Amino acid sequence: MLVLVAPGQGAQKPGFLTPWLDLPGVTERLTWWSAVSGLDLIHYGTKADEEEIRDTAVAQPLLVAAALASAQALFSEGAEEFQGSLGATAGHSVGELAAAAFAGVLTAEAAMVLVRRRGLAMAEAAAQAETGMAAVLGGEQEDVVAHLTKLGLTPANVNGAGQIVAAGTAEQLAALAEDKPEGVRRVVPLKVAGAFHTDHMAPAVSALETLIAGAPVADPRIPYVSNRDGQVVTSGAEVAQRLVAQVSNPVRWDLCMETFQQLGATAIIEVAPGGTLVGIAKRALPGVKTLALKTPDDLEAARALIAEHAVPVADTPAE
């Protein structure tokens, strides 16, 4: 059983879209999504430096566009191939918007409109106070969460495999660096502009609630695993509501991986710019094959993995 996942903010690197533009149709799709989102995705994905693409308002649309473009390159026959191959889909943080498009809940255009507004709203919320995030590596999950709570920090991403991302004010993060939880190997500051998935993002939730009320949504055509609680969500309206609430709620990627296991996952492919999520899966889901789409050179191996692990399509009964 094959799961397709989309990464979250921080996965982007300068120039990472450049090789994808050599594939048929990618430049045209990115040009169209640039018009839809009001952002020059080709410039930011090929020529912009690290500081430019660190900007939340840029990084989020860029990541969703890359996820959609690489998935369309992988499943070149379109929606029917998706439905006939995938056992489930999920996204980490902003990657949930791409996953919602994979599942047919949102169109690609709707996903790009929403992610552009999401990025802008979260950037505006982040500018109201000096906040940030840091990866906490190692330690027992319960002990780490209790320690973060004591310091006033939020466990904003519980990723599993010994990784929790703490979020809060600059002062709280400084206190964490000086007073690490027992068993923690390292605390690594992340290159993000704010305390995402915490109460600091409440203003962004309000902005997205107004916008998503008019978005066209459909029920998922493949199992959609929500990173709020790892549950499979079958209602398009509920997926839309969760996409908004997720902005100020923690990401429970550990629970998503538990659900992948319960569903019988045998392989995971992470769309571009892949690497982070399959790295976690290798530690948390031993025995599950993984592949990250970093460049088009990875497409051949990904297609071989699909052929081996795709959900079997039932034979159509004779008339």
Side-chain angles (χ1 to χ4, degrees):
M1 193 275 274
L2 177 67
V3 180
L4 190 70
V5 299
Q9 196 164 340
Q12 72 278 7
K13 293 180 175 62
F16 77 98
L17 275 182
T18 300
W20 293 96
L21 300 183
D22 293 332
L23 299 183
V26 172
T27 297
E28 290 79 4
R29 281 192 286 274
L30 290 172
T31 299
W32 171 239
W33 295 335
S34 293
V36 168
S37 63
L39 192 71
D40 188 344
L41 297 165
I42 293 176
H43 164 76
Y44 285 110
T46 60
K47 297 179 181 178
D49 62 24
E50 184 175 358
E51 191 63 29
E52 288 179 276
I53 62 173
R54 181 183 174 185
D55 180 351
T56 301
V58 171
Q60 293 191 10
L62 188 59
L63 285 164
V64 171
L68 294 173
S70 58
Q72 289 185 13
L74 180 59
F75 296 93
S76 56
E77 295 181 16
E80 289 187 6
E81 189 180 5
F82 263 94
Q83 294 168 42
S85 301
L86 298 179
T89 187
H92 190 287
S93 189
V94 72
E96 280 210 310
L97 282 161
F102 300 159
V105 176
L106 299 172
T107 64
E109 289 79 8
M112 292 307 304
V113 170
L114 286 166
V115 73
R116 176 60 166 157
R117 187 67 191 100
R118 183 187 192 273
L120 287 166
M122 291 177 72
E124 290 166 5
Q128 295 182 17
E130 188 179 356
T131 60
M133 306 177 82
V136 182
L137 307 177
E140 294 295 327
Q141 182 168 309
E142 289 185 6
D143 295 339
V144 172
V145 169
H147 190 83
L148 296 180
T149 302
K150 182 184 75 173
L151 295 177
L153 290 158
T154 299
N157 301 164
V158 182
N159 289 330
Q163 184 189 107
I164 294 176
V165 174
T169 66
E171 292 81 3
Q172 291 165 340
L173 290 169
L176 173 63
E178 292 295 322
D179 180 19
K180 294 191 289 290
E182 183 178 353
V184 166
R185 301 188 308 276
R186 287 192 299 156
V187 174
V188 183
L190 300 183
K191 295 179 180 180
V192 296
F196 304 144
H197 304 292
T198 71
D199 291 341
H200 292 282
M201 292 294 111
V205 172
S206 299
L208 288 173
E209 282 175 341
T210 301
L211 181 60
I212 208 163
V217 298
D219 292 339
R221 293 194 289 266
I222 57 175
Y224 175 93
V225 182
S226 168
N227 69 38
R228 184 171 81 184
D229 51 14
Q231 294 299 304
V232 175
V233 182
T234 58
S235 161
E238 185 178 350
V239 171
Q241 182 274 325
R242 284 171 175 248
L243 288 172
V244 172
Q246 175 237 39
V247 168
S248 63
N249 285 326
V251 171
R252 293 301 304 269
W253 193 250
D254 60 329
L255 299 181
C256 290
M257 290 191 295
E258 287 181 13
T259 298
F260 300 160
Q261 197 164 37
Q262 291 163 8
L263 292 172
T266 56
I268 295 174
I269 294 177
E270 183 181 359
V271 295
T276 302
L277 299 181
V278 297
I280 295 171
K282 285 176 181 177
R283 298 189 296 275
L285 299 172
V288 175
K289 292 189 176 180
T290 61
L291 188 144
L293 286 179
K294 298 177 183 291
T295 74
D297 291 341
D298 299 311
L299 288 171
E300 184 177 351
R303 291 183 181 122
L305 200 65
I306 291 168
E308 183 181 355
H309 295 271
V311 175
V313 180
D315 293 334
T316 303
E319 293 290 344

